[in-house]
Amino acid sequence: MHVLVVEDDPTIADPLLAGLVRAGFTVAHAATGHAALEPTDADCILLDLGLPDIDGIDVCRRLRAASAVPIIVVSARADELDRVMLLELGADDYVVKPFGMRELVARIRAVTRRAGPTPEEPAELIDAGALQIDLRTRRVTINGTEVELTPKEFDILALLAADPGTVHTRHRILETVWDAHWYGPTKTLDVHIASLRRKLRHPEWIETVRGIGFRFESPPVQPTE
Ligand code: CA
């Protein structure tokens, strides 16, 4: 998740950026309103209202006119904030300085969840009974419990699970997940498959088809309690 921090005061911006990185986000920094209005691929924008060049309210309105990216307004003074006005301008939420990193992270997660899929990016879910793979958020859960996978492990699982029962050749998996022209050792694939099976805790879901490749077997739906 990529967060753009719009903040002119380095004594606030620096620790904020560092805290977001520690919380697992990638960050970009804009110190002026003009910089904030540059095209961005941010998943969320933290917007300070007191900027040196353009009024933050105006920046908020212009950002919203240009994109649907979630915006959290950050302000030094609670009385600057008129929640109704901010929401009308298109802000998704606001925090008042000083704020805790934990609170901020929770709000970022909430607004980005709420923003949901954009029309160009439909929600895609592979629903294989006990196993759920969300292709948009790249989250994998088993019976509702999240499983942490590496990017390559995720790609392998998504490829196999998208077409259960079908044998995927080693060559095709390497081409799809690694590179269109993979000439390296195919042992890499076995290492990733072994790790993936271990993490899924159900090695039988990924079946080895000797000499050819791998096949995903849909796990049975767990009876609900
Ligand atoms: Ca400021």
Side-chain angles (χ1 to χ4, degrees):
M1 179 120 33
H2 188 55
V3 179
L4 172 64
V5 175
V6 183
E7 172 62 69
D8 59 314
D9 182 346
T11 67
I12 293 167
D14 293 349
L16 184 53
L17 291 162
L20 289 170
V21 168
R22 273 197 305 277
F25 298 99
T26 60
V27 293
H29 179 215
T32 63
H34 280 110
L37 293 169
E38 293 288 314
T40 173
D41 58 356
D43 301 302
C44 181
I45 297 178
L46 300 185
L47 175 64
D48 175 32
L49 287 186
L51 295 169
D53 54 345
I54 309 176
D55 188 331
I57 299 277
D58 199 29
V59 174
C60 183
R61 187 187 300 121
R62 284 157 73 173
L63 283 170
R64 178 53 73 241
S67 101
V69 62
I71 300 169
I72 300 176
V73 164
V74 178
S75 178
R77 292 170 47 204
D79 59 6
E80 280 183 356
L81 294 168
D82 180 326
R83 183 173 167 77
V84 173
M85 181 192 69
L86 285 175
L87 295 178
E88 279 173 358
L89 290 173
D92 296 87
D93 201 354
Y94 66 87
V95 290
V96 178
K97 297 171 189 171
F99 50 84
M101 189 52 66
R102 193 187 270 187
E103 178 195 359
L104 181 63
V105 167
R107 282 168 188 254
I108 293 172
R109 298 224 184 277
V111 296
T112 51
R113 251 198 315 274
R114 238 178 1 240
T118 59
E120 311 83 65
E121 194 181 17
E124 287 186 84
L125 187 76
I126 297 175
D127 183 354
L131 176 69
Q132 308 270 320
I133 305 168
D134 189 324
L135 298 175
R136 192 177 58 80
T137 60
R138 297 178 65 89
R139 287 159 70 106
V140 174
T141 57
I142 297 175
N143 293 320
T145 303
E146 188 160 359
V147 182
E148 296 283 346
L149 299 180
T150 67
K152 294 290 189 215
E153 289 164 359
F154 180 90
D155 290 342
I156 294 169
L157 179 63
L159 175 69
L160 296 178
D163 204 358
T166 299
V167 180
H168 295 260
T169 65
R170 305 174 66 87
H171 182 72
R172 165 137 166 70
I173 298 169
L174 287 165
E175 263 194 358
T176 308
V177 174
W178 272 265
D179 189 81
H181 304 282
W182 176 270
Y183 299 110
T186 63
K187 180 102 176 60
T188 304
L189 178 56
D190 297 281
V191 172
H192 281 78
I193 293 273
S195 169
L196 186 53
R197 281 176 172 149
R198 205 162 46 239
K199 289 181 179 178
L200 295 177
R201 293 168 178 234
H202 290 273
E204 72 279 8
W205 290 354
I206 298 173
E207 188 189 338
T208 303
V209 182
R210 198 170 289 278
I212 301 175
F214 299 92
R215 166 166 56 203
F216 179 81
E217 287 299 336
S218 272
V221 177
Q222 300 284 315
T224 47
E225 288 160 36

